[in-house]
């Protein structure tokens, strides 16, 4: 069969006929249309892209909505003072509005809260660490200063209890402004004077020792130590015939040993001296003593 340009075969009866015929002139079979494969592929790809875009949009909408909800939850938790949970919520909120800044604030707020708890428990070292970590949150810098004073006060009290007067004085001085620090500082200074008095007395420097005991004032044992010290000074003065000085020493010695009796004896000697000088009024006062 001769090939005809622009013709096609009927697959049913093998009849060759021009391709502009709508069907086979012999059997009436219509030719099959060629499928546009490339067009089909393009359509499929477009459909996939559209579906993916819709899915992505839905997912993104859900994600941003979840971030918004986490953000609101974080702010509510902050209001309640639940800062650890607020941090989790703000992390989940991602970059929603000012979530990152609020996350940083929640971290500082938690440190500040822990600092307050430690301070209330008088654990000033831990409180100092927490307030330092809180940075510029509220009055954290002021709380740091208070913690440092509290630490110095505790160290001063510890040194005082151990009889370390120098350290106690230094620490209570550094704790200035802390409640009770001034009173403790004064007592630490008295303790130092008392200790110095003991050292001086042991070396026989009784007058210097007595001066230190007087500085010690109401420190426990200072009054008794002073009385014992001036009693010895009185004995020395009496032995040297310095009865006026001896009488003053025995007067300050109070009820120590036989100080009152010895003071009376000194007054008798002084009374006789006044009589000898015609000082009768003074002599009378001495004899009355």
């Amino acid at each position: 069969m001769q090939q005809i340009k622009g013709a096609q075969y009927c697959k049913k009866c093998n009849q060759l006929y021009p391709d502009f015929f709508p069907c086979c002139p012999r059997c009436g079979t219509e030719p099959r249309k060629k499928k546009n494969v490339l067009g089909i592929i393009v359509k499929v790809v477009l459909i996939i892209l559209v579906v993916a875009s819709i899915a992505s949009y839905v997912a993104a909408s859900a994600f941003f909505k979840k971030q918004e909800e986490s953000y609101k939850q974080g702010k509510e938790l902050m209001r309640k003072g639940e800062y650890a949970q607020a941090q989790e919520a703000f992390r989940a909120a991602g970059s929603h509005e000012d979530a990152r800044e609020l996350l940083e604030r929640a971290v500082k707020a938690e440190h500040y809260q822990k600092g307050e708890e430690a301070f209330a428990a008088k654990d000033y070292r831990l409180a100092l660490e927490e307030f330092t970590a809180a940075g510029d949150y509220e009055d954290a810098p002021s709380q740091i200063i208070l913690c440092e004073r509290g630490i110095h006060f505790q160290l001063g009290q510890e040194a005082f209890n151990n009889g370390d007067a120098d350290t106690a004085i230094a620490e209570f001085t550094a704790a200035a402004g802390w409640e009770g620090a001034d009173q403790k500082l004064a007592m630490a200074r008295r303790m130092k004077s008392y200790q110095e008095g003991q050292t001086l007395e042991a070396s026989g420097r009784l007058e210097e020792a007595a001066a230190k005991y007087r500085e010690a004032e109401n420190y426990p044992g200072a009054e008794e130590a002073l009385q014992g010290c001036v009693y010895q000074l009185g004995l020395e003065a009496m032995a040297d015939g310095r009865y006026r000085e001896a009488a003053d020493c025995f007067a300050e010695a109070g009820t120590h040993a036989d100080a009152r009796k010895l003071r009376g004896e000194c007054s008798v000697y002084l009374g006789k001296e006044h009589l000898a000088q015609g000082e009768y009024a003074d002599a009378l006062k001495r004899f009355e003593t």
Side-chain angles (χ1 to χ4, degrees):
M1 182 178 293
Q2 186 176 359
Q3 181 72 29
I4 300 174
K5 185 178 181 180
Q8 61 182 348
Y9 283 103
C10 177
K11 291 185 178 183
K12 187 174 182 180
C13 64
N14 293 326
Q15 174 65 38
L16 183 65
Y17 61 92
D19 59 3
F20 55 81
F21 274 43
C23 60
C24 178
R26 176 181 292 176
C27 65
T29 302
E30 294 181 359
R32 292 183 180 178
K33 295 181 179 180
K34 295 181 179 179
K35 294 182 179 179
N36 188 346
V37 178
L38 180 59
I40 294 172
I41 293 174
V42 171
K43 289 180 180 179
V44 171
V45 171
L46 288 174
I47 292 171
I48 292 173
L49 289 175
V50 170
V51 172
S53 297
I54 294 173
S56 178
Y57 174 78
V58 172
S61 297
F63 176 74
F64 290 127
K65 185 176 181 181
K66 184 176 180 180
Q67 282 190 328
E68 183 180 5
E69 292 175 351
S70 296
Y71 178 83
K72 291 180 179 178
Q73 183 184 24
K75 294 188 75 172
E76 178 62 20
L77 289 168
M78 282 286 286
R79 189 185 65 79
K80 294 179 178 180
E82 299 175 5
Y83 302 117
Q85 296 87 332
Q87 291 172 46
E88 296 178 5
F90 286 133
R91 287 191 184 95
S95 58
H96 184 78
E97 294 188 14
D98 58 343
R100 290 176 181 173
E101 290 78 3
L102 290 176
L103 171 59
E104 182 180 352
R105 184 171 179 77
V107 171
K108 291 180 179 180
E110 183 182 13
H111 283 298
Y112 186 91
Q113 187 180 61
K114 289 181 178 179
E116 287 184 313
E117 294 172 355
F119 192 91
K122 297 184 179 181
D123 188 348
Y124 303 121
R125 292 186 181 277
L126 177 58
L128 177 62
E129 293 177 6
E130 294 296 344
F131 284 129
T132 300
D136 58 352
Y137 184 82
E138 292 190 1
D139 63 339
S142 298
Q143 295 297 330
I144 289 173
I145 295 174
L146 286 177
C147 289
E148 290 173 344
R149 290 175 180 171
I151 292 171
H152 284 301
F153 185 85
Q154 288 181 332
L155 290 173
Q157 188 63 55
E158 182 179 344
F160 184 87
N161 294 338
N162 293 330
D164 186 350
D166 290 328
T167 300
I169 290 171
E171 293 296 342
F172 286 135
T173 299
W178 186 267
E179 184 179 359
D182 291 342
Q183 293 85 343
K184 290 291 185 179
L185 175 59
M187 186 59 71
R189 287 172 175 165
R190 291 182 187 125
M191 178 171 70
K192 182 175 176 63
S193 295
Y194 175 76
Q195 292 174 345
E196 289 176 342
Q198 287 184 310
T199 301
L200 290 167
E201 184 178 4
S203 63
R205 297 159 65 181
L206 297 180
E207 290 186 3
E208 295 175 70
K212 287 297 179 180
Y213 288 140
R214 293 186 188 100
E215 289 178 6
E217 293 182 79
N218 297 323
Y219 185 78
E223 182 64 26
E224 292 78 2
L226 173 61
Q227 289 179 349
C229 190
V230 294
Y231 177 83
Q232 294 298 324
L233 287 170
L235 291 178
E236 292 179 3
M238 190 174 183
D240 292 340
R242 293 179 279 117
Y243 299 115
R244 187 182 303 276
E245 182 180 337
D248 291 341
C249 288
F250 291 134
E252 190 174 9
T255 58
H256 183 82
D258 57 346
R260 295 182 65 180
K261 174 179 177 294
L262 294 176
R263 181 189 178 193
E265 292 181 11
C266 289
S267 294
V268 170
Y269 288 118
L270 289 171
K272 290 179 178 181
E273 290 179 1
H274 287 303
L275 279 176
Q277 297 174 11
E279 299 170 349
Y280 303 114
D282 291 334
L284 180 60
K285 289 180 180 178
R286 289 294 179 180
F287 289 138
E288 287 177 346
T289 301

